[in-house]
Amino acid sequence: MSDTTLYSSLYQQISEYAELVDEALIALISQKNDTRLFQQLGKMLGQLANPPEGQLGSRMVSELILDSDIVGQSELEMAAEALGTGDIDDVTREIIERLARSLEQERSKAMARIRGERR
Amino acid sequence: MKAYFQVAIDQHIERAAKLLEAIDNSDVPREYHALATTCRTEIVSSKQQLEDLRDNVEMQRSELQTIRLRRFRRAVDRISKIEVTGIAALSRPLKDDIFLTRLVDLIRQEIKYPFLPPTVTTLSTNYFHIHNDIHLMFVPLSEGNYLLHLPDLYHELAHPLLFDDHNPRIADLRQSVDLTWAHALSYINDEIAYEERRRGPTEYLLYLALWQRSWRSWIVEFYCDLFAVFTLGPAFAWAHIHLCMELDHNPFAVPTRGVSSHPADDARMRVILLGLKKVGFVDVIDDLQARWDEYLEIADVRSHSNYRRCFPDQLLNQLVELAYSGMVKSPCRIVDPNVADPIHQVLNNAWYQFWHHPYNYIQWEKQAVEQLREMCGGFVKEASR
């Protein structure tokens, strides 16, 4: 009868995604070409756009992000491809920045639900 | 905000160090060792993140301050969460916590639960719940002195199974969850298409959108209920009725304004009864249904068309079939009327005693709890009741 269980399961996954997105954003802003990091982020964005079967947590986080309408599925797919090929332009960076905001918003909401606050 | 970050980060680093002192305590009973290790790892990691935010020259750049703030908040929230959950439990090891942790371990062995058991703490202010990230289950303070709500331990044990992406032994259960989700989405999409065709009231489209978003969490709760039914049996159904009697919830509630995390209690009861039938407890279903109907009557509540539309029989039937097929392919022991494992017997017998010997129940329960504590190791025997 508590939201805590559900949101504590999602909280960790959202935080891990958020950390990876911010790490990549720092590299992009600092103009560092960290291929491994960008490919890792590209893979994660691909999973957010199309969560793999049998991964309930990934699927729920994906739905939360897509429901919030800050970043769309096709945008995530486009950014995932750009990160995978290394062809990262300002549009890709702007999508990643919006995703960072969306993840932070969902992380904060999840924490509020864990604490029993309603938002 | 340079000065703010300087002082605030230093203070949180000091706070993390103090929490590590509390964790690194040689008096911590062995039942808490796994929890202490997890908490330590989490606090050390958050402390290192804060040190990086303070010491890394790159993070002082003005164009990185928004990211710095997000990272600061994440590290602070993580420390705070661990402090009020894991470390709070570690700092007050109680006999009841150790008893319940051992009890959950015995349950784990009985039902062949494929993961390590969580630690249990009696710090809950909000019924039973589990923090998956640190494997810590919360139950109310005095719950270890009674039996009637303990079947909910089984429900909570299911949550970590559903959110695990790695254990191949429960791959079929995860696949069942996926299929159930697909069925639920397909059903709601059909209803949305129907509403769009008939151009009915726009409220219905809004409701359907909310139900679609709610069903993803409802599947989790239904599966956890069914896990408890398939491993424990009728005691979980009785515990559901018991909880509903105690709480003032509308058993036919459907979301019309915001997303809901838990399905309607009546829908849960329907799923529980279907699950019991599936594992051979046909004899008790009429009795449970009769008690449930009595509850609905005295609570003076009735179902409505939205409720039936939100939780149609066909979808609930599919859900039970899929959950059962996933469970039988998992390593868990599925219950049947002949199972005689000790904890299973105590929890189911409690409800038999409750209904058949109501005047002696309180006394019987005291003795049964004493025996349960003996099974979990003599020193957790509690004489405070």
Side-chain angles (χ1 to χ4, degrees):
Chain A
M1 292 293 169
S2 150
D3 288 350
T4 307
T5 299
L6 176 65
Y7 285 94
S8 76
S9 300
L10 301 182
Y11 180 84
Q12 193 178 18
Q13 187 138 22
I14 296 171
S15 300
E16 283 168 14
Y17 285 170
E19 201 52 44
L20 181 58
V21 169
D22 275 343
E23 203 182 332
L25 272 176
I26 291 169
L28 286 172
I29 292 167
S30 309
Q31 297 182 325
K32 282 183 197 156
N33 188 18
D34 191 336
T35 311
R36 189 199 55 80
L37 176 63
F38 295 153
Q39 282 178 347
Q40 198 184 345
L41 180 64
K43 193 177 164 195
M44 189 211 96
L45 296 195
Q47 286 185 353
L48 262 184
N50 299 293
E53 282 188 7
Q55 296 191 3
L56 183 62
S58 302
R59 181 170 281 211
M60 292 184 98
V61 172
S62 165
E63 300 249 345
L64 286 175
I65 296 299
L66 296 176
D67 281 351
S68 70
D69 282 337
I70 296 174
V71 60
Q73 187 181 24
S74 58
E75 290 178 311
L76 289 175
E77 285 168 345
M78 197 175 75
E81 196 181 333
L83 286 158
T85 58
D87 186 17
I88 306 162
D89 56 14
D90 287 348
V91 176
T92 307
R93 187 175 134 178
E94 194 266 334
I95 292 169
I96 299 169
E97 278 173 353
R98 272 191 281 131
L99 176 62
R101 281 203 301 278
S102 179
L103 284 166
E104 184 58 16
Q105 194 174 297
E106 294 306 323
R107 189 197 64 79
S108 170
K109 274 191 213 166
M111 181 54 94
R113 299 293 284 264
I114 291 168
R115 287 174 174 149
E117 299 163 15
R118 293 279 179 178
R119 284 200 165 180
Chain B
M1 298 300 275
K2 256 185 182 173
Y4 171 81
F5 277 125
Q6 184 64 47
V7 180
I9 289 174
D10 273 346
Q11 192 181 55
H12 282 291
I13 288 171
E14 193 186 303
R15 184 189 185 115
K18 287 268 180 215
L19 292 174
L20 287 172
E21 277 178 30
I23 296 168
D24 295 336
N25 173 356
S26 58
D27 294 335
V28 170
R30 67 184 158 85
E31 282 78 5
Y32 291 82
H33 287 184
L35 176 65
T37 303
T38 308
C39 290
R40 191 175 205 290
T41 306
E42 290 288 333
I43 294 288
V44 167
S45 162
S46 300
K47 183 169 168 278
Q48 285 169 340
Q49 282 173 9
L50 287 169
E51 285 163 352
D52 185 60
L53 290 181
R54 182 191 60 188
D55 303 334
N56 186 341
V57 178
E58 190 176 31
M59 290 312 298
Q60 319 293 324
R61 289 170 53 183
S62 59
E63 63 269 40
L64 293 182
Q65 294 313 293
T66 302
I67 296 173
R68 193 184 193 197
L69 179 61
R70 281 201 296 262
R71 290 185 130 182
F72 170 73
R73 285 177 176 162
R74 281 201 292 273
V76 169
D77 265 359
R78 192 78 199 127
I79 291 170
S80 163
K81 183 179 183 296
I82 298 295
E83 181 178 353
V84 300
T85 55
I87 297 173
L90 286 170
S91 64
R92 51 175 287 288
L94 295 178
K95 283 181 179 176
D96 269 8
D97 293 18
I98 293 170
F99 159 57
L100 288 166
T101 300
R102 288 182 181 184
L103 179 64
V104 166
D105 191 27
L106 287 180
I107 291 171
R108 174 187 72 93
Q109 293 169 48
E110 269 189 12
I111 67 172
K112 300 186 172 25
Y113 184 71
F115 289 176
L116 290 172
T119 307
V120 183
T121 177
T122 52
L123 274 175
S124 176
T125 55
N126 191 11
Y127 199 55
F128 287 54
H129 58 272
I130 187 164
H131 284 251
N132 268 348
D133 50 346
I134 56 169
H135 313 294
L136 181 61
M137 193 188 288
F138 284 72
V139 304
L141 185 64
S142 61
E143 212 58 62
N145 293 316
Y146 308 98
L147 300 173
L148 300 179
H149 283 305
L150 292 187
D152 277 310
L153 294 172
Y154 291 70
H155 170 104
E156 295 304 328
L157 278 174
H159 280 280
L161 290 187
L162 299 180
F163 281 94
D164 179 80
D165 295 342
H166 307 291
N167 189 334
R169 299 167 79 200
I170 49 164
D172 290 306
L173 186 63
R174 291 198 296 264
Q175 196 181 17
S176 291
V177 172
D178 273 353
L179 283 170
T180 308
W181 193 326
H183 281 301
L185 285 182
S186 166
Y187 167 72
I188 299 284
N189 283 335
D190 286 349
E191 291 296 302
I192 290 171
Y194 169 76
E195 282 301 329
E196 284 172 344
R197 272 198 312 274
R198 80 176 186 120
R199 296 170 194 270
T202 51
E203 290 84 12
Y204 284 125
L205 284 171
L206 175 70
Y207 297 164
L208 286 162
L210 289 174
W211 300 351
Q212 189 177 54
R213 289 168 66 185
S214 300
W215 256 99
R216 62 189 171 211
S217 345
W218 294 347
I219 288 172
V220 173
E221 296 302 327
F222 278 134
Y223 265 71
C224 291
D225 285 349
L226 285 169
F227 177 87
V229 168
F230 293 153
T231 52
L232 177 63
F236 183 74
W238 291 120
H240 178 65
I241 296 177
H242 189 34
L243 185 62
C244 292
M245 286 291 287
E246 291 174 341
L247 298 177
D248 183 18
H249 283 175
N250 175 3
F252 299 110
V254 293
T256 54
R257 291 186 177 186
V259 177
S260 112
S261 60
H262 286 67
D265 289 329
D266 186 73
R268 294 177 80 167
M269 193 65 204
R270 285 159 62 201
V271 162
I272 289 167
L273 293 177
L274 288 168
L276 280 174
K277 193 174 171 189
K278 198 81 201 155
V279 284
F281 289 93
V282 180
D283 291 351
V284 294
I285 290 175
D286 286 347
D287 199 11
L288 279 157
Q289 184 68 63
R291 297 291 183 184
W292 182 253
D293 290 342
E294 275 181 63
Y295 153 64
L296 296 179
E297 193 179 326
I298 63 170
D300 196 20
V301 283
R302 280 162 200 83
S303 70
H304 46 83
S305 57
N306 270 349
Y307 166 73
R308 285 278 162 185
R309 193 178 189 190
C310 190
F311 299 104
D313 285 334
Q314 192 194 350
L315 188 52
L316 298 190
N317 272 308
Q318 279 175 329
L319 183 150
V320 174
E321 291 296 329
L322 285 166
Y324 181 74
S325 74
M327 275 294 286
V328 293
K329 290 175 197 157
S330 80
C332 298
R333 187 270 283 132
I334 305 292
V335 73
D336 66 51
N338 299 316
V339 165
D341 293 329
I343 310 297
H344 166 272
Q345 292 283 68
V346 171
L347 297 182
N348 280 286
N349 194 21
W351 278 102
Y352 178 86
Q353 296 292 333
F354 181 94
W355 290 114
H356 291 86
H357 305 288
Y359 298 109
N360 297 329
Y361 179 76
I362 302 294
Q363 193 52 42
W364 177 88
E365 187 185 50
K366 279 181 186 169
Q367 289 169 2
V369 169
E370 291 288 300
Q371 287 165 7
L372 204 53
R373 285 175 183 269
E374 290 287 352
M375 282 167 62
C376 292
F379 95 97
V380 294
K381 192 173 168 183
E382 185 61 82
S384 61
R385 275 187 73 183

